[in-house]
Amino acid sequence: MMRHKAFARYLPLVERELERILSADGIPEQLRGAMAYSVRAGGKRLRPCLTLAACELVGGEIESALPLACAVEMIHTYSLIHDDLPCMDDDDFRRGKPSNHVVFGESTAILAGDGLLTYAFEIMLDACVRYAAALPEYPAAVKAIANGAGVCGMVAGQIMDLGSQHAEMPSDEMLREIHTRKTGALIKAAVLAGALVHPCPPEVLAALGRFSDEYGLLFQITDDLLDVVGTFESVGKTIGKDQAADKFTYPGLYGVKKSREKADEAANRAKEALSELGGRADFFMELVEDTLSRTK
Amino acid sequence: MMRHKAFARYLPLVERELERILSADGIPEQLRGAMAYSVRAGGKRLRPCLTLAACELVGGEIESALPLACAVEMIHTYSLIHDDLPCMDDDDFRRGKPSNHVVFGESTAILAGDGLLTYAFEIMLDACVRYAAALPEYPAAVKAIANGAGVCGMVAGQIMDLGSQHAEMPSDEMLREIHTRKTGALIKAAVLAGALVHPCPPEVLAALGRFSDEYGLLFQITDDLLDVVGTFESVGKTIGKDQAADKFTYPGLYGVKKSREKADEAANRAKEALSELGGRADFFMELVEDTLSRTK
């Protein structure tokens, strides 16, 4: 799916660093095993690649953004582990493999999530201290990730999503609000953090911010579409509210056809934001195309 | 219990700042309510007071350590919420009130814990950015707290403690290891973080580190003793292993009398470490006496 040649550089760096992080001394083996199981469970590493690409876009050394990139992936992974728990979405499978709590039990899964979240901050604060002299903006980058994952970002989106399952199908704005927080906030933070570590003109940061907002929306719509297309094999067919099951999704609210239109619109706005950045935004430009073509 | 006059200054500062933090814009009301319920549930605020006292001991402005102090209390609170969950310790009551999951349900309780943990880092990173020029050591202080709460600290202790409930009664060293991580690591981080924000001679930091190790042990032993004394009303009587129920405690392993001796020994070693610091360690000196007298 990811065609841009930079992925071939980013992915091994991210995988190697994640393995180094997971192999640190002093972590109890039960905790290490449960954390590693989900980190290794076949994620596409989209978020860490966004961080590294944003760092390169502003002319930074990607090595310096690697702790941020891995931390974002660890935070994303913790959110999936907690999301799958029986009292949350109650999913026994994740990416075709048994969920963390199915393999390790609920209590270990909760602690594996808590561990990954806290460890992500340990990694990032270690980098803040190491780069204090060379990269004084490092804490601002970590703050962006904390806010993206935090009580007005991802955790807010998760609690709103839980609530929505017991409520009337909410409005257009409510759906967008939930997904902006639940998925969009961490994606945006992943991009901005990569750009924030190094000196970055405010207009570049603003363009990346606008891109991230639209890309997060595009990602969520196509993710929802993939679920529906995968489940109902109903490409091109409008899904009615009764078919939307208990999931709170774009196809559930708008049907497949209108959701595709919304994805196209978000992709166009994302590319418009990138156009201000010229050729150095190629990675992100191709990513928009790749993401859009996931469901076509 | 807390006699030192500084508590009268610290406590209102901590309470006011915690309320300010909880009242921030943009937090969904369901999340805010669940987080606030546990933060307001009557904790003694021991950890934040340790942070503020350590900051004053090294000659710092306590205002600057307030974000760290509140963050430590939020992290402590998250750990209690997750600890009480049905799949963990399954406690329906905490400090005489219904546990978070009993009031708000399991899914909201998990997210309230996740929220408090992440929000603690949001608060601390905001302070890192605000104090970047004036207090360049701020990230090192936050790193100490992250490590105390992290996968070699508190989360490690929690997973080891879970394991111990299904294992043979472990050895002396195992008991100490679990409690050092589960309780001691965050207490030590609370002290060191307060001292690290400001320039602090290494020998002062070392003395505070030795004090914290012993104080954490003292705190855990007296906490365990309070549970037993409260439950069995058996002051001065040795509790056999069969009476220790499924809890992994000092009285369970050593009996009440020997546990009291161990508390006395830890208190003496804590005071010995403090004696190097002279009169400015009065707060901590009195705290050792207060903690020791909890079970007498």
Side-chain angles (χ1 to χ4, degrees):
Chain A
M1 172 196 150
M2 308 300 197
R3 298 168 307 169
H4 195 281
K5 61 185 189 303
F7 278 108
R9 278 189 298 123
Y10 297 158
L11 286 172
L13 282 176
V14 169
E15 298 297 343
R16 202 179 312 139
E17 183 65 7
L18 284 171
E19 288 301 321
R20 202 192 58 78
I21 289 168
L22 287 167
S23 68
D25 287 341
I27 306 172
E29 291 310 317
Q30 192 189 350
L31 180 61
R32 187 200 306 281
M35 293 193 303
Y37 176 80
S38 290
V39 170
R40 292 176 186 148
K44 297 180 296 292
R45 313 302 189 205
L46 168 69
R47 290 159 191 78
C49 288
L50 289 173
T51 304
L52 299 184
C55 175
E56 283 205 311
L57 186 145
V58 303
E61 296 282 341
I62 55 172
E63 194 67 32
S64 63
L66 203 49
L68 301 171
C70 291
V72 170
E73 186 69 7
M74 293 161 78
I75 291 172
H76 172 58
T77 306
Y78 117 78
S79 78
L80 301 181
I81 295 174
H82 281 192
D83 237 20
D84 287 342
L85 287 167
C87 70
M88 308 281 278
D89 281 357
D90 195 14
D91 276 324
D92 283 353
F93 286 88
R94 164 73 62 184
R95 293 166 184 155
K97 290 178 187 162
S99 306
N100 198 291
H101 66 271
V102 172
V103 179
F104 298 97
E106 273 185 69
S107 54
T108 298
I110 289 174
L111 291 172
D114 293 348
L116 282 168
L117 173 58
T118 318
Y119 199 9
F121 283 103
E122 296 185 76
I123 296 297
M124 291 191 285
L125 284 154
D126 182 65
C128 280
V129 172
R130 278 190 291 119
Y131 287 112
L135 299 169
E137 297 300 317
Y138 220 102
V142 180
K143 179 176 186 285
I145 292 172
N147 293 153
V151 291
C152 298
M154 191 175 70
V155 179
Q158 282 176 309
I159 209 150
M160 291 168 77
D161 198 21
L162 278 184
S164 76
Q165 289 174 20
H166 310 290
E168 299 273 299
M169 179 65 86
S171 68
D172 188 348
E173 294 76 40
M174 184 72 176
L175 174 65
R176 172 131 192 186
E177 172 87 0
I178 289 177
H179 285 313
T180 298
R181 296 187 183 219
K182 185 170 176 176
T183 311
L186 193 62
I187 285 178
K188 185 174 186 174
V191 173
L192 295 186
L196 276 167
V197 203
H198 295 269
C200 170
E203 64 274 14
V204 172
L205 210 59
L208 282 173
R210 281 196 302 281
F211 156 74
S212 309
D213 285 337
E214 301 301 338
Y215 181 73
L217 179 62
L218 168 65
F219 183 84
Q220 187 60 54
I221 299 174
T222 55
D223 217 49
D224 286 358
L225 276 167
L226 269 181
D227 274 354
V228 172
V229 170
T231 312
F232 298 101
E233 295 180 345
S234 56
V235 186
K237 195 176 116 196
T238 300
I239 302 290
K241 286 190 186 183
D242 55 319
Q243 286 173 277
D246 63 343
K247 290 289 272 185
F248 189 65
T249 67
Y250 279 87
L253 189 60
Y254 296 107
V256 169
K257 187 162 172 285
K258 185 128 188 259
S259 296
R260 286 214 161 118
E261 289 168 16
K262 284 187 171 289
D264 283 332
E265 289 160 18
N268 286 337
R269 290 189 303 265
K271 289 191 279 186
E272 202 176 292
L274 293 175
S275 67
E276 301 169 28
L277 299 170
R280 57 187 169 163
D282 276 358
F283 174 92
F284 294 104
M285 211 56 113
E286 274 192 38
L287 185 66
V288 171
E289 293 299 337
D290 290 347
T291 305
L292 199 57
S293 68
R294 290 206 295 169
T295 63
K296 284 181 178 167
Chain B
M1 169 196 151
M2 308 301 197
R3 296 169 309 169
H4 195 281
K5 61 185 188 302
F7 278 108
R9 277 189 297 122
Y10 297 158
L11 285 173
L13 281 177
V14 170
E15 297 297 345
R16 203 179 312 138
E17 183 65 6
L18 284 171
E19 288 301 323
R20 201 191 60 76
I21 290 167
L22 287 168
S23 69
D25 287 341
I27 306 171
E29 291 310 318
Q30 192 189 351
L31 180 62
R32 186 200 307 281
M35 293 194 302
Y37 175 81
S38 290
V39 170
R40 292 177 185 146
K44 298 180 294 291
R45 314 301 191 204
L46 168 68
R47 290 159 191 79
C49 288
L50 289 172
T51 304
L52 299 183
C55 175
E56 284 205 311
L57 186 146
V58 303
E61 296 282 341
I62 54 172
E63 195 66 33
S64 64
L66 203 49
L68 301 171
C70 291
V72 170
E73 186 69 7
M74 292 161 78
I75 291 171
H76 172 58
T77 306
Y78 117 77
S79 77
L80 300 181
I81 295 174
H82 282 191
D83 237 19
D84 287 342
L85 287 167
C87 70
M88 307 281 279
D89 282 357
D90 195 13
D91 275 324
D92 283 352
F93 287 89
R94 165 72 62 182
R95 294 166 183 154
K97 291 177 187 162
S99 305
N100 197 290
H101 66 270
V102 171
V103 178
F104 299 97
E106 274 184 68
S107 54
T108 298
I110 290 175
L111 290 172
D114 293 347
L116 282 168
L117 173 58
T118 317
Y119 200 8
F121 284 103
E122 296 186 76
I123 296 296
M124 291 191 286
L125 285 154
D126 181 66
C128 280
V129 172
R130 277 191 292 120
Y131 287 112
L135 300 170
E137 296 300 315
Y138 220 101
V142 180
K143 179 176 186 285
I145 291 172
N147 293 152
V151 292
C152 299
M154 190 173 72
V155 178
Q158 283 177 308
I159 210 149
M160 291 168 77
D161 198 20
L162 278 184
S164 75
Q165 289 174 21
H166 311 287
E168 299 273 298
M169 179 63 89
S171 68
D172 188 347
E173 295 75 40
M174 185 70 176
L175 174 65
R176 173 130 191 186
E177 172 87 359
I178 289 177
H179 285 312
T180 298
R181 295 186 183 220
K182 185 171 176 176
T183 311
L186 192 62
I187 285 178
K188 185 173 186 175
V191 173
L192 295 186
L196 277 167
V197 203
H198 295 268
C200 169
E203 64 275 15
V204 172
L205 210 58
L208 283 173
R210 283 197 300 280
F211 156 74
S212 309
D213 285 336
E214 301 299 339
Y215 181 73
L217 178 62
L218 168 64
F219 183 84
Q220 188 61 53
I221 299 174
T222 55
D223 217 49
D224 285 357
L225 276 167
L226 269 180
D227 275 353
V228 172
V229 169
T231 313
F232 298 100
E233 295 180 344
S234 56
V235 186
K237 194 176 117 196
T238 301
I239 302 290
K241 286 190 186 183
D242 54 319
Q243 287 174 277
D246 62 343
K247 289 289 272 183
F248 189 67
T249 68
Y250 279 89
L253 190 60
Y254 296 109
V256 169
K257 187 163 172 288
K258 185 127 189 264
S259 296
R260 286 212 160 117
E261 288 168 17
K262 285 188 168 288
D264 283 331
E265 290 160 18
N268 286 336
R269 290 191 302 266
K271 289 191 280 187
E272 202 176 293
L274 293 175
S275 67
E276 300 169 29
L277 300 170
R280 57 187 169 162
D282 276 357
F283 173 92
F284 294 105
M285 211 54 114
E286 275 191 37
L287 185 66
V288 171
E289 293 298 338
D290 290 347
T291 305
L292 199 56
S293 68
R294 290 205 296 169
T295 62
K296 283 181 178 167

